[in-house]
Each structure stands twice: as structure tokens, then as C-alpha cells.
């Protein structure tokens, strides 16, 4: 049952607003049993959840809520320029801080504009509450102005959603929404609130806790399974630790580092998991998957005991599952979501639980073990694979190599920046060449691969950590998908640094066309790019265009020295550069195509 | 293989569409789906007949459990169970069909529940396969209309799905 918590309303300003509200009940009702509007209840709930920022955009259906925002100062509302960006910014805020991000949009077009953002967060399991306005209850279903069935539209891309049809349900629904978003396998929750409900009056009762008979996420892993896992790990000859976004989201990084160091086993991270294990550590073999390092993919393919932590054997990670399973290995899988286990690959030792709790239990068991496991032969093999140097590229002093820009970015920011990226080649180069030593610093759309996230993601990070260095690595294609946010960045004085790798191509598309469509570059060249320097300047930002490799480092230093300025850096990069290594879709992990100078290689 | 999955879920607007949406989004097939409120008005009971390999069924169960409105899921095929479906069949009752229909109705323990000038409506309950067998057994040209409820399932004896 809900334990309830009453709030006494003393605020004079609030009473005034009540009296001015045409829909408010008589004063004696307020005195007897304080009631407030649904809109104010929404605000109170957000305050109760200690929300610091709400990213949003107003419109008819949420005007009552916006009126209450005007009167409060519990959180800061960030006015974006497109609802998609509001949701992305809230999503990044959550990724950077580990708290629930909040976005607020109006009904109809506001709501549909938010959908890409919601789906992006859903695919990466990001906890978020998105509040959408809805037409008044009596108008629902009548094709009213700006009506869209938000609960229906978002059903396949939310963890859960609610349509609130009674003002008395707002508080309990908000409580549930935050609880569902943040617990278990996290995800976005939509709360759709009809306009009339935000004007109706109700007593404000915020439940202290939530109990739902239908939703009980597991926390602790099965101790028998955990023991079994430790035993297998200690007997392994060719062990491998593979971690994903779930490790970062479950704040398990610290425990994982402890475990990996105690065992001295190799670690790889997925694209979503970067920073889960420090990239500069000697046990780190790099990112794995489609554009992963040679050593990471070979070790993954050839290990005999694999422990997967908060990772899901995605098609971009293991390629063809049949090929992956053609090699025998024992797999341990820790995940908070039972449905992630044995979804693509059969698991030998499933452990359902919160990664942090399971890993800490493993560390305790391991500390009590006397045995150690010598795997020097396996390390020797891995070092041989490392010798292939799959990440080496031929630098140039004529044309800027995109990889070089990222390497310098890492140096100039001392590896400590929040790096957001868009989607394309630049994303892969950022993942490959920026060495993330901390979790929650690499912010990208891994699951949905949404072009346009980069700039709003950078906004979310900058609000999350106002003094931090925030770099948005983007392409000239992606940046134009949410370019309007340059205006938001100006309004709030966000000192983001945009690192645009401008190859005058939808580079990733061009790369596939080069490899798989005999260089038929169908619609992957973009004409009529704006003068990005002038564009940035028109918003009051600093614009820089860098064409010479010799200027890359100096320009980056100059930009990051402008601590309170938004700097848009247009790096004119090599148009023909491709992302290597590469495993073609549907191929196996050992089927890596290396750089030209490395020549194509296949392992048995 | 065919599986009958029983589930209890919150009797809330939209709960049914979440289950149906899950099946279509993930490409699982639904042979039939029935749902109605239980003795506890806050809970609905659903029976889904589906088919798939063991791995697919395992995923279906996990995915159903993941839905926030779903309280409990049971794969009836994991133990002993009873399955019943109701079918109404309207058949031609012209002179040459009348006797056959009455006879088949008796054999399958059905009942004629409506008699019109040229047709009978037969009510039949049983497992899905029994109903299929009935339709196989009668002359196809005699069938005017069929309507089936889809299977309802319940565990035998101590197998109880309750919260
Ligand atoms: C919204 C959206 N539309 C289309 C795509 C398909 N897509 C993936 S990468 C890419 C090209 C990106 O170009 P750019 O931003 O210039 O980056 P580059 O690959 O050149 O570094 C496209 C079109 C996508 N991921 N997202
Ligand atoms: Mg490009």
C-alpha cells in the first residue's frame, strides 16, 4: 500500500493564484482540505523527485503546467528549439548524472517530435520521464486539434506509459513513473496528461514509496550461480571480460575494475560500455564489435570462458551468432533484465541481478579464494594480436585525418571531457581514439543510432556538470539535424565545443557504398553546406575553420581555453577516409577487414 | 510447438494492447487470445495460444513478464492442464444435411441452439483440436459461418495461477 505524506500549503503566492484561477474551488474547501490544481501537483511531484532541470517546449495543452513553472523556482526549465532536442538533452543529463532526466512537451506535434528522443533513450535503457500534454478528456478520440494518441504512439518504445484521466491520480502516477524509469532495467516512461486534468483540483498527496504487485525488479543475484561463475573464472585458460552499457548504467564500474584487476584478465567494452573500464589500463584490449580492435574481437572469439556484464550480444557486437557459437566457450552473463539473457546466444551461467550488487558479491568471494589463475600464455597470444596494430592510421601533413583530430582532442582535454557524438564515421573514430577512463563520459546513441543527438546531448552534459569540458564530435550531416539548438546554447551560455569532422559526405553511408555498392555514391554527398563559421557567429558563438593538419592542436587548445564560449570548430577532413577495422554485417568476429596497409586478414 | 500461456494482469486500459503490441513488434505469432476480468475486478486473466521453438517461447514468457502491467505468467505446457474453447457453427439444414448435422452434433456432444428455416446453429465446447476435428468431420459445403472464442486454459489440480 502507499504510505502517504501530506503537505501543508502555506505559500501566499500560491493562495493568490488559486483565487485567480477560474476553475478553482471555493476558498472554504481550500481551508478545510487544501486542494491545488493538477498543474501544481505536477510541479510539486518534480520538486519531490529533486528534479533540477526540465527540458521542454510549451504549447496549448501544457499551458497550465507552464503557468505553474513561471511561479516556481524548484527546478530550472530549459527552453529548447525543437522537442526532439528536449528529450535528447534530458536523456544525456541522465546518462551523465545517473539520475532520471525530465522532458516536457505539448500534445500532438510536440508529442510526436519527442518520439525519436524517446525511442533513442529506450534503445539504450536510459531512465527518463517525459510529460506530454494531451487534449482535454472529453475531447479525446474526437480528432481534436493537436490530438495524437501518445500512449499508442509510444507504446513500443517506452518502458511504460500512462494516460492520467483523473487529477487525483497525478501524484501517484508521477511517483510510479520515476520509480519504473529508474529501477530494474531503466527506460523512458511517458506520462500523458490531458489539459483539463491540469486545471482540476485535488488534494496533494505524494506517496513516499511505491509497491506494485506486477513490477518487482530483482536486485541480488543468485548466490549459487555467482559461486559457479567464480569457479569457472578461476579455471579458465583463456578468459575474457566483456562489458556493456548495463555496467555503466548500473554504476558497476568500480566493482568491475576491482574484479578484473584481482583476476588480471583482459577486458573489452562495447560502444555503449566505453569508460566502464579505464581505456588507458594495460588490461584493456579496446572496444569490440563491427569497428572494434583486432585484439578485442580475436580474444572474444577465441576465449574459453566469457563473462558478459550488462551487455547483450548485439548484432553490431558479435556479428553472426552462428559464427560466434561455432567456437566453444562457456558464457556467464550478468544482467538485470532476464529477457536479455539467452536472447541471441545461449548462456551457460545466467545471473539475473543488479550488476553492482552481483559484482561486489563476486569480489567478496574472490577475496576469500586462495587460488589464483596464471594465464600468461593467453596474454602472450593477446599481445601478438595487439602487435597487428589495427588502430594505426597513416597520418598526413596535407589533409586532416579525422583520427588525428580525436587523438589531439583527447590530449588537449586530458582525457577528461564529456564527449558526445552524433552517428556516422566520426562516432566510430571518437569511440576508437578517445580513451575514456571514466564511465558516463562517452554519450552517444548506440542502440537506435540517431543522427542529431550530438548537440542536444552536449547540452544535457553541460547542464549536468556546468564547469566540465564538453565536446560534441559530429559530422556535417548529423549536426544539421538539430542545428537549431545553437540558439539554445546561446540563450543559456553553454561553453560547448563542437568538433565537426567535415568530410562533405554522409561518410558512413559513403563507406558502405564504396564497400558494398561498387562506389555508387547514391545521395551520400551533400551540397550547399552553410558557412559554419558565419552560422556560429550569427548566434554569437565563436566559429573556427581548420584546414591544415599543423593547425589542429593549436586550434583545439585555443578553443578549450575559451572557457565561457561556445566554439564551433569546422575541421575540413580527408574525404576518403574509412573506418577500420570493419566486420561486414552478418559476418563473424574473426572476419575483420583491416586497413589497406594492414591488408585483409582472416583467422581460421 | 504449440503452447498455451496464461497470464494475470492489471485490469487497466491499454493492458491488452501492450500484450498484443508485444507479439506483433517481436514477430511472435498468436493463434488465439482471450481475456476477461477475474473474480478480483482489478485483475484480468488472459490465455494466449502461440507457437514457436523452445527459445522463442522462453523469450515470449520473459518479454511478457517484463510488461509492467503483467502480474504473473504461466506456460501451461510446463505441466498438466485443461483447455477449452467454445465454437458456434451455423450450418445448412436443408433436407440432405439435416440428419448428418444432428448425428455429428451428438457424436461431438454439441447442441443445436438455434433452428431456422434453412439453418442450424451448433454450440460446441472442447479442446481446439476437437473443434478442428468437428469442422473436418462435417461436409464443408454445409458450413455457413463459424465463430470461435479461442482457448481458455487452466492448470490441473494444485496448479493454480493466482496472486
Ligand atoms: C536520423 C538518421 N537518419 C539516417 C541515418 C543513417 N546514417 C547513418 S550514418 C549517416 C551519415 C552521417 O553523416 P555525417 O553526420 O556527416 O557523419 P560522417 O559519417 O560523415 O562522419 C547516415 C545518413 C541515421 N543514423 N539517423
Ligand atoms: Mg560527414
Amino acid at each position: 500500500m502507499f504510505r502517504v505524506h501530506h503537505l501543508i500549503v502555506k505559500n501566499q503566492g500560491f493562495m493568490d493564484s488559486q483565487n485567480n484561477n477560474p476553475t478553482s474551488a471555493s476558498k472554504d474547501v481550500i481551508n478545510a482540505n487544501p486542494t491545488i490544481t493538477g498543474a501544481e501537483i505536477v510541479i510539486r511531484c518534480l520538486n519531490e523527485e529533486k528534479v533540477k532541470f526540465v527540458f521542454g517546449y510549451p504549447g496549448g495543452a501544457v499551458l497550465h503546467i507552464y503557468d505553474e513553472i513561471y511561479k516556481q523556482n524548484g527546478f530550472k526549465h530549459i527552453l529548447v528549439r525543437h522537442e526532439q532536442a528536449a528529450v535528447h538533452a534530458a536523456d544525456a543529463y541522465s546518462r551523465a548524472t545517473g539520475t532520471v532526466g525530465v522532458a516536457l512537451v505539448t500534445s500532438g506535434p510536440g508529442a510526436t517530435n519527442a518520439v525519436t528522443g524517446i525511442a533513442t533513450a529506450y534503445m539504450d535503457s536510459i531512465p527518463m520521464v517525459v510529460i506530454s500534454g494531451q487534449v482535454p478528456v472529453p475531447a479525446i478520440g474526437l480528432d481534436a486539434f493537436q490530438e495524437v494518441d501518445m500512449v499508442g504512439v509510444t507504446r513500443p518504445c517506452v518502458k511504460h506509459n500512462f494516460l492520467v484521466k483523473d487529477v487525483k491520480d497525478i501524484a501517484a502516477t508521477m511517483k510510479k513513473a520515476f520509480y519504473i524509469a529508474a529501477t530494474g532495467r531503466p527506460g523512458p516512461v511517458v506520462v500523458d496528461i490531458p489539459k483539463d486534468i491540469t486545471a482540476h483540483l485535488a488534494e496533494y498527496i505524494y506517496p513516499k514509496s511505491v509497491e506494485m504487485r506486477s513490477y518487482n525488479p530483482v536486485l541480488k543475484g543468485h548466490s549459487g550461480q555467482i559461486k559457479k561463475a567464480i569457479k569457472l573464472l578461476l579455471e579458465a585458460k583463456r578468459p575474457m571480460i566483456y562489458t556493456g552499457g548495463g555496467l555503466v548504467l548500473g554504476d558497476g564500474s568500480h566493482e568491475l575494475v576491482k574484479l578484473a584487476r584481482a583476476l588480471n584478465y583482459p577486458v573489452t567494452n562495447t560502444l555503449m560500455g566505453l569508460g566502464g573500464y579505464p581505456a588507458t589500463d594495460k588490461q584493456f584490449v579496446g572496444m569490440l564489435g563491427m569497428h572494434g580492435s583486432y585484439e578485442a574481437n580475436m580474444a572474444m572469439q577465441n576465449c574459453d570462458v566469457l563473462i558478459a556484464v550488462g551487455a547483450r550480444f548485439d548484432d553490431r557486437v558479435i556479428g553472426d551468432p552462428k559464427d560466434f557459437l561455432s567456437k566453444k566457450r562457456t558464457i556467464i552473463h550478468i544482467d538485470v533484465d532476464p529477457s536479455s539473457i539467452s536472447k541471441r546466444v545461449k548462456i551457460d551461467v545466467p545471473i539475473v541481478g543488479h550488476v553492482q550488487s552481483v559484482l561486489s558479491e563476486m569480489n567478496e568471494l574472490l577475496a576469500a579464494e586462495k587460488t589464483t589463475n596464471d594465464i600468461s600464455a593467453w596474454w602472450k597470444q593477446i599481445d601478438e594480436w595487439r602487435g597487428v596494430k589495427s588502430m594505426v592510421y597513416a597520418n598526413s601533413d596535407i589533409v586532416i585525418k579525422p583520427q588525428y583530430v580525436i587523438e589531439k582532442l583527447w590530449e588537449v582535454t586530458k582525457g577528461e571531457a564529456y564527449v558526445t557524438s552524433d552517428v556516422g564515421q566520426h562516432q566510430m573514430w571518437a569511440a576508437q581514439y578517445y580513451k575514456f577512463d571514466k564511465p558516463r563520459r562517452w554519450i552517444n546513441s548506440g542502440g537506435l543510432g540517431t543522427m542529431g543527438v550530438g548537440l542536444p546531448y552536449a547540452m544535457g552534459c553541460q547542464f549536468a556538470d556546468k564547469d566540465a569540458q564538453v565536446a560534441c564530435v559530429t559530422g556535417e550531416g548529423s549536426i544539421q539535424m538539430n542545428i537549431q539548438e545553437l540558439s539554445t546554447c546561446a540563450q543559456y551560455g553553454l561553453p560547448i565545443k563542437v568538433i565537426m569532422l567535415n568530410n562533405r559526405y554522409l561518410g558512413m553511408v559513403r563507406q558502405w557504398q564504396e564497400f558494398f555498392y561498387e562506389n555508387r555514391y547514391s545521395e551520400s554527398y551533400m551540397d550547399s553546406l552553410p558557412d559554419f563559421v558565419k552560422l556560429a557567429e550569427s548566434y554569437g558563438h565563436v566559429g573556427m575553420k581548420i584546414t591544415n593538419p599543423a593547425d589542429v592542436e593549436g586550434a583545439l587548445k585555443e578553443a578549450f581555453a575559451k572557457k565561457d564560449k561556445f566554439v564551433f570548430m569546422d575541421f575540413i577532413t580527408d574525404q576518403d577516409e574509412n573506418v577500420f577495422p570493419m566486420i561486414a554485417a552478418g559476418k563473424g568476429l574473426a572476419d575483420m577487414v583491416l586497413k589497406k596497409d594492414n591488408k585483409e586478414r582472416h583467422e581460421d | 510447438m504449440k503452447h498455451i500461456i496464461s497470464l494475470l494482469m492489471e485490469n487497466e486500459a491499454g493492458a491488452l494492447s501492450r500484450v498484443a503490441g508485444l507479439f506483433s513488434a517481436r514477430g511472435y505469432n498468436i493463434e488465439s487470445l482471450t481475456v476477461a476480468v477475474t473474480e478480483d475486478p482489478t485483475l484480468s486473466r488472459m490465455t494466449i495460444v502461440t507457437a514457436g521453438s523452445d527459445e522463442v517461447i522462453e523469450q515470449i514468457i520473459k518479454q511478457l513478464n517484463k510488461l509492467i502491467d503483467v502480474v504473473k505468467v504461466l506456460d501451461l505446457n510446463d505441466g498438466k492442464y485443461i483447455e477449452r474453447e467454445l465454437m458456434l457453427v451455423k450450418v445448412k439444414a436443408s433436407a440432405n444435411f439435416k440428419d448428418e448435422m444432428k448425428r455429428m452434433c451428438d457424436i461431438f456432444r454439441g447442441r443445436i441452439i438455434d433452428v431456422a428455416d434453412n439453418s442450424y446453429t451448433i454450440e460446441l465446447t472442447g479442446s481446439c483440436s476437437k473443434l478442428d476435428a468437428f469442422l473436418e468431420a462435417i461436409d464443408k459445403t454445409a458450413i455457413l459461418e463459424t465463430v470461435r472464442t479461442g482457448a481458455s486454459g487452466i492448470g490441473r489440480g494444485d496448479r493454480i495461477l493466482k496472486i
Side-chain angles (χ1 to χ4, degrees), chain A residues 466-484:
Chain A
K466 73 174 174 25
D467 299 321
Q469 297 176 320
V470 179
C472 163
V473 176
T474 185
E476 78 297 336
S478 296
I479 192 74
Q480 294 189 81
M481 285 215 180
N482 268 317
I483 192 87
Q484 76 287 345

Side-chain angles (χ1 to χ4, degrees), chain A residues 476 503 505 507:
Chain A
E476 78 297 336
N503 53 9
Y505 270 116

Side-chain angles (χ1 to χ4, degrees), chain A residues 423-426 429 451 474-478 500-508 524 526 529 573:
Chain A
V423 173
Q425 292 182 316
H426 62 273
W429 287 316
M451 285 172 72
T474 185
E476 78 297 336
S478 296
M500 186 171 80
L501 303 179
N502 185 347
N503 53 9
R504 285 83 71 214
Y505 270 116
L506 300 174
M508 190 56 98
S524 55
M526 215 176 261
L529 292 175
T573 60

Side-chain angles (χ1 to χ4, degrees), chain A residues 167-385:
Chain A
V167 63
K168 291 202 257 346
D169 296 337
I170 292 178
T173 305
M174 291 289 285
K175 179 78 193 179
K176 276 189 193 171
F178 276 87
Y179 171 67
I180 291 170
T183 51
R185 179 177 182 168
V189 177
V190 167
V191 182
D192 197 34
I193 313 181
K195 184 171 186 178
D196 53 340
I197 299 306
T198 61
H200 292 171
L201 293 169
E203 200 182 337
Y204 173 69
I205 305 167
Y206 200 64
K208 273 227 170 106
S209 62
V210 188
E211 247 183 65
M212 295 170 72
R213 60 184 175 187
S214 62
Y215 177 68
N216 298 293
V218 258
L219 287 176
K220 268 181 65 73
H222 188 281
S223 30
Q225 294 288 86
I226 294 178
K227 279 204 192 87
K228 209 156 139 193
I230 289 287
K231 185 161 173 288
L232 277 167
L233 282 170
L234 286 173
E235 285 167 359
K237 293 202 167 52
R238 300 184 311 279
M240 179 74 177
I241 302 172
Y242 147 60
T243 83
L247 179 72
V248 175
L249 292 173
D251 291 318
S253 177
H254 180 73
E255 294 291 343
L256 191 273
V257 171
K258 217 168 131 185
L259 183 81
R261 293 237 168 98
L263 290 165
N264 185 35
Y265 287 179
V267 185
T268 182
N269 291 160
T270 65
L271 177 71
M272 286 307 296
L274 292 178
Y277 190 84
T280 54
D281 188 277
K282 64 180 187 343
Q283 280 168 246
F284 189 64
V285 297
M287 177 174 81
L288 84 166
M290 181 173 269
H291 295 298
S293 76
Y294 186 70
E295 53 271 35
N297 285 336
M298 291 306 283
M300 183 81 174
Q301 182 78 345
N302 293 292
C303 63
D304 68 342
V305 174
L306 175 68
I307 175 164
V309 185
R312 57 190 178 94
F313 298 87
D314 177 81
D315 55 311
R316 288 289 190 264
V317 168
I318 59 159
D320 176 14
K322 275 207 201 73
D323 182 90
F324 184 66
L325 292 171
S326 68
K327 291 258 176 181
K328 262 190 87 66
R329 59 176 96 57
T330 308
I331 308 180
I332 303 158
H333 190 178
I334 307 173
D335 206 293
V336 73
D337 175 10
S339 75
S340 276
I341 290 174
S342 292
K343 184 165 72 180
R344 297 193 78 239
V345 164
K346 187 104 192 88
I347 301 301
D348 304 287
V349 185
I351 304 173
V352 177
H354 194 274
V355 288
Q356 192 189 58
S357 134
V358 174
L359 289 171
S360 100
E361 210 174 320
M362 289 182 91
N363 278 324
E364 277 169 33
L365 280 180
L366 198 64
E369 276 295 333
K370 300 272 159 339
T371 39
T372 51
N373 186 19
D374 177 19
I375 55 153
S376 48
W378 177 230
W379 270 119
K380 197 163 155 265
Q381 169 69 75
I382 290 173
D383 285 339
E384 251 170 57
W385 287 327

Side-chain angles (χ1 to χ4, degrees), chain A residues 128-148:
Chain A
M128 248 188 354
V129 171
V130 177
I131 301 167
S132 53
Q134 183 53 278
V135 300
V137 173
I140 290 179
L142 301 179
D143 301 321
F145 177 62
Q146 294 193 330
E147 178 182 6
V148 73

Side-chain angles (χ1 to χ4, degrees), chain B residues 14-34:
Chain B
L16 171 62
S17 61
R18 285 180 214 279
V19 173
L22 170 73
F23 274 73
S24 66
R26 295 197 181 260
Y28 306 142
N29 69 56
I30 301 183
E31 282 178 17
S32 73
L33 185 157
T34 67

